[in-house]
Amino acid sequence: MTFTIDYLALAPELVIVGTLLVVFTLDMVLTRPKKFWIATAAVAGTALAAIPLVILGVQGETRSMFDGSYVVDEFALVLKGLFIVAAYLVLLMSHHYIESERYYQGEYYFLLLASVLGSLVMASSRDLIILFIGLELTTAPLFLLTGWRKGDAKSNEASLKYFILGVLSTAILLYGMSFLYGLTGEITFSGLAEATAGRGDEPAMVMAILFVIVGFGFKIAAVPFHFWAPDTYEGAPTPITAYLSVNSKIAGFVALLLMLYIALPGVSEVWAPALWILAALSMTVGNLSALRQTNIVRLLAYSSVAQAGFMLVPFAAAAVVGADLEEAFAATVVYLAIYAVMNLGAFAVVIAGARKTRSGELSAWAGLAQVDSRLGVLVAVFFFSLAGIPPLAGWFAKFAMFRSVMIAGGTTTVVLAVIAAVNAVIALYYYAKVVKTVWVDDPTGEFVEDVEAAPAVSLRLALWVSLALTVAIGFFPALVTFVGDASRVIAVGG
Amino acid sequence: MVEGILFVLMAVTALAGAVTVVVARNPVYSAMGLLGTLFSVAVLYVAQLAHFVAAVQVIVYAGAVMTLFLFVIMFIGVDTSDDRDERLPMQRFWVGILAGVIVLLAAGITLSGNFDWVPAAVETIPEATNGTIQAIAEPLFTDWVLAFEATALLLTISAAGAIALAHFKGQRT
């Protein structure tokens, strides 16, 4: 029997698995004061996993395994790169946070790396089973990690809510997938694309597709499936919140992109209107709810719901007959890449700021810039970038999104673009309010001013990396357009 | 014909079991209801010629998982009754109406008969492989090795994480 495994193509995943085992072993042999080696190993392993990615990228050939169910092409490589960079930043943010609060460290990194592994698997998956297992591997560790602050009732609540709704959404997703399989007898995306084409008028097919969308809707926290997000984001340890809002959300979007554009392009008349509604609702409800938030993490939670809405906008463009699906696909991927960088930056600032204010309430942040102007500048950079103000990276994400919609044309999509534009203005209000609180308002309380409150080296590194990327992408959007171009290749033309 | 009768019988027991799970006041009865559902579904699998799945269903769910459930219930104590206060007024009433509407709708659609649920059914039904260990192991460790290993990791995560979360001693809050 000839059966070979392309080990180079699997190398990034294998490196992460190796790191995972090292972390687990180190946790057993090291005593408490030496536990920092675990974090070091995790960070080093994640950085190491990028090397095979670069090698594969330079070679530039598409590698396909397991009868085409696992493919390493440019799209997969770009997204794996994004997942690894984001995971790297989250690990840097975690290091001091986890150590200073005396949480379990070995298990924390073990679970976090397992989740990263799941997202890497997902980027390459080209069939329902591997996609599903990858998605589960990404989210299952997060159910546990959101509850890591065990003494805090809010963290318990966060974990439980996320778990119950996550499991429910998984069940719905799996039900939809089993219907797809039952109707077509196909598991691979290429097989599904052929078998489903033109069958959008069958009730069972419509139901299967809607179930799949609902399942993913929970994962990306799109309205009306977002109810878990604010409570979970608030209760979870802040680095995990950052991970949830970036890696986990991107993973959900990758699944959605693969399923809809690769497996189900032939029935876009079914899913595009559904995503139109999701996009419009997510933007509007997310932004309007964010206006009223007084807690900075909850504000970011609603902001990430709204951002998910912006990312869904290009999907709706697929409804237009003869629309350029590649353009829509690339716009979402570019938005994901930029969103990852700036949102991680925003969370890193929140972690750094919370050490000084000892509070997540926005009122406690008043006048922070007066005692620490550098932190103030960072707050301004990341929040204005999220709002989409040039020359920071966020403007290009929104530009790519609007461009894809305008190219597609069509009345309904233009209406959606108008809704998106109105929402962009609403979003500016609350992002600017945070910056105003930090810079203009007078301090309401005392700030902690000691060595403990200064950001740790690893956190500073995370801040610098995300700052550099946010500013650089804003001035040279060409840095991310290749991300979109690479992914264009695999999008099936409508 | 036989399959039709079998389906109706087993569907009814499966539903009855599921209702028992929700309705029963005593958690042991709930567990028993679940057991009934699991067995009925296992019979349905056999009717679909999925012998292996049926066997796994009985061994894993009806056997291992149910034992674990009962163990936990006994461990916590059967007489601990839940707080059954209902916060929403008329909760049951509205759920009843909703369920009724759904049932009527489904019945109407089925009875009207002009509902093409699946216009083009799949012609090719995958051949049932014989259920030897080799027949199962070969695809599992070749074509599906990646999914298989990832699933194994998923189980490790659950175990490691559950212990880390449940173990509370010596940790600062």
Side-chain angles (χ1 to χ4, degrees):
Chain A
M1 188 183 68
T2 55
F3 178 75
T4 50
I5 290 179
D6 188 347
Y7 283 103
L8 179 59
L10 277 176
E13 286 89 338
L14 292 176
V15 172
I16 296 285
V17 171
T19 317
L20 208 131
L21 294 175
V22 169
V23 162
F24 216 40
T25 323
L26 280 179
D27 185 45
M28 283 186 245
V29 291
L30 293 176
T31 50
R32 176 70 87 181
K34 288 189 180 160
K35 293 268 187 196
F36 67 92
W37 283 109
I38 300 172
T40 317
V43 169
T46 313
L48 213 62
I51 295 174
L53 269 187
V54 174
I55 295 174
L56 286 166
V58 170
Q59 286 185 344
E61 56 184 301
T62 302
R63 290 157 182 269
S64 172
M65 275 172 288
F66 307 114
D67 295 332
S69 344
Y70 200 81
V71 175
V72 181
D73 53 13
E74 284 185 337
F75 168 76
L77 286 176
V78 160
L79 277 159
K80 282 180 191 198
L82 185 61
F83 281 129
I84 284 186
V85 170
Y88 189 72
L89 289 175
V90 171
L91 283 171
L92 287 177
M93 282 182 227
S94 305
H95 176 206
H96 196 235
Y97 185 93
I98 294 300
E99 200 174 52
S100 61
E101 302 286 332
R102 297 204 187 193
Y103 300 123
Y104 286 125
Q105 294 183 45
E107 290 85 354
Y108 177 90
Y109 293 108
F110 172 74
L111 292 174
L112 198 56
L113 286 170
S115 177
V116 175
L117 178 68
S119 54
L120 295 185
V121 168
M122 259 183 56
S124 279
S125 65
R126 295 291 181 276
D127 79 17
L128 293 178
I129 291 184
I130 296 185
L131 178 80
F132 179 74
I133 290 176
L135 194 64
E136 278 314 286
L137 201 53
T138 315
T139 48
L142 295 172
F143 298 148
L144 298 157
L145 286 173
T146 43
W148 220 241
R149 291 162 58 214
K150 286 189 283 186
D152 189 340
K154 276 198 170 165
S155 185
N156 301 350
E157 182 194 343
S159 179
L160 201 64
K161 275 192 179 160
Y162 187 37
F163 178 66
I164 291 176
L165 284 178
V167 168
L168 180 69
S169 72
T170 303
I172 295 173
L173 174 65
L174 204 54
Y175 197 40
M177 283 181 169
S178 66
F179 259 85
L180 277 181
Y181 174 63
L183 287 169
T184 60
E186 295 284 348
I187 276 187
T188 58
F189 290 168
S190 49
L192 276 172
E194 274 176 37
T196 56
R199 291 176 66 183
D201 51 352
E202 295 176 24
M205 184 66 81
V206 174
M207 193 175 91
I209 294 168
L210 290 184
F211 272 26
V212 167
I213 291 175
V214 170
F216 289 140
F218 273 105
K219 306 280 177 199
I220 59 175
V223 177
F225 315 114
H226 69 293
F227 292 104
W228 58 273
D231 291 331
T232 302
Y233 282 23
E234 191 189 357
T238 320
I240 293 302
T241 309
Y243 189 86
L244 272 175
S245 76
V246 174
N247 282 46
S248 155
K249 187 168 290 226
I250 297 179
F253 266 101
V254 168
L256 205 55
L257 284 167
L258 287 173
M259 276 302 287
L260 299 185
Y261 286 102
I262 313 297
L264 306 168
V267 282
S268 61
E269 75 271 19
V270 176
W271 53 259
L275 289 176
W276 193 99
I277 298 169
L278 280 191
L281 279 179
S282 299
M283 288 187 292
T284 315
V285 176
N287 278 324
L288 292 181
S289 312
L291 286 178
R292 299 184 51 208
Q293 300 307 317
T294 54
N295 182 300
I296 196 158
V297 177
R298 284 185 84 86
L299 186 141
L300 279 172
Y302 280 109
S303 121
S304 89
V305 169
Q307 299 273 359
F310 287 123
M311 291 179 223
L312 284 171
V313 168
F315 283 90
V320 182
V321 179
D324 190 357
L325 285 186
E326 289 180 16
E327 198 64 47
F329 192 91
T332 303
V333 175
V334 165
Y335 204 121
L336 283 175
I338 294 175
Y339 167 79
V341 173
M342 60 192 186
N343 213 42
L344 282 175
F347 273 105
V349 164
V350 169
I351 294 175
R355 301 192 73 82
K356 287 198 196 303
T357 58
R358 291 265 168 258
S359 166
E361 291 302 314
L362 204 51
S363 55
W365 285 60
L368 184 64
Q370 293 176 17
V371 289
D372 191 337
S373 54
R374 277 193 297 179
L375 208 56
V377 170
L378 288 170
V379 169
V381 167
F382 291 122
F383 279 82
F384 278 140
S385 178
L386 280 168
I389 292 184
L392 301 160
W395 78 268
F396 188 71
K398 292 222 166 57
F399 173 76
M401 183 262 291
F402 281 119
R403 185 165 165 267
S404 76
V405 176
M406 288 332 228
I407 286 179
T411 327
T412 49
T413 41
V414 173
V415 170
L416 189 61
V418 172
I419 297 176
V422 171
N423 271 294
V425 180
I426 300 176
L428 177 62
Y429 172 78
Y430 62 81
Y431 289 129
K433 194 175 79 177
V434 174
V435 179
K436 179 215 158 215
T437 311
V438 169
W439 278 95
V440 182
D441 290 359
D442 288 325
T444 49
E446 290 284 297
F447 293 115
V448 186
E449 273 303 316
D450 54 11
V451 189
E452 271 287 291
V457 183
S458 50
L459 182 57
R460 258 186 236 171
L461 190 59
L463 280 170
W464 277 115
V465 172
S466 34
L467 174 69
L469 284 172
T470 307
V471 175
I473 294 172
F475 279 102
F476 306 104
L479 286 173
V480 287
T481 46
F482 87 90
V483 172
D485 290 339
S487 57
R488 231 169 262 238
V489 184
I490 67 157
V492 183
Chain B
M1 187 61 200
V2 179
E3 201 186 323
I5 295 169
L6 197 67
F7 174 78
V8 172
L9 268 179
M10 287 305 135
V12 169
T13 26
L15 277 177
V19 171
T20 314
V21 175
V22 186
V23 173
R25 298 246 154 187
N26 187 328
V28 178
Y29 291 166
S30 290
M32 287 301 141
L34 186 59
L35 194 65
T37 304
L38 293 172
F39 267 117
S40 317
V41 175
V43 175
L44 288 179
Y45 287 144
V46 175
Q48 300 295 318
L49 299 181
H51 298 289
F52 178 70
V53 183
V56 168
Q57 168 90 358
V58 171
I59 295 169
V60 175
Y61 282 96
V65 174
M66 281 314 299
T67 316
L68 213 60
F69 272 5
L70 283 174
F71 185 75
V72 170
I73 292 170
M74 299 297 182
F75 198 68
I76 296 173
V78 205
D79 43 62
T80 359
S81 56
D82 279 334
D83 177 17
R84 279 176 174 269
D85 277 351
E86 282 162 8
R87 301 274 160 79
L88 299 170
M90 307 278 280
Q91 187 167 284
R92 278 165 191 265
F93 175 73
W94 288 114
V95 169
I97 286 196
L98 192 69
V101 167
I102 292 175
V103 167
L104 279 182
L105 213 67
I109 290 172
T110 318
L111 286 179
S112 68
N114 52 11
F115 180 70
D116 261 348
W117 185 240
V118 184
V122 188
E123 290 102 36
T124 52
I125 296 164
E127 265 181 51
T129 46
N130 70 35
T132 62
I133 294 174
Q134 273 175 339
I136 292 159
E138 203 181 299
L140 209 54
F141 284 98
T142 54
D143 290 346
W144 300 106
V145 69
L146 192 78
F148 180 70
E149 296 293 340
T151 316
L153 185 63
L154 205 55
L155 293 178
T156 321
I157 291 163
S158 323
I163 293 170
L165 267 194
H167 183 74
F168 208 78
K169 200 180 75 181
Q171 206 197 10
R172 212 179 62 178
T173 51

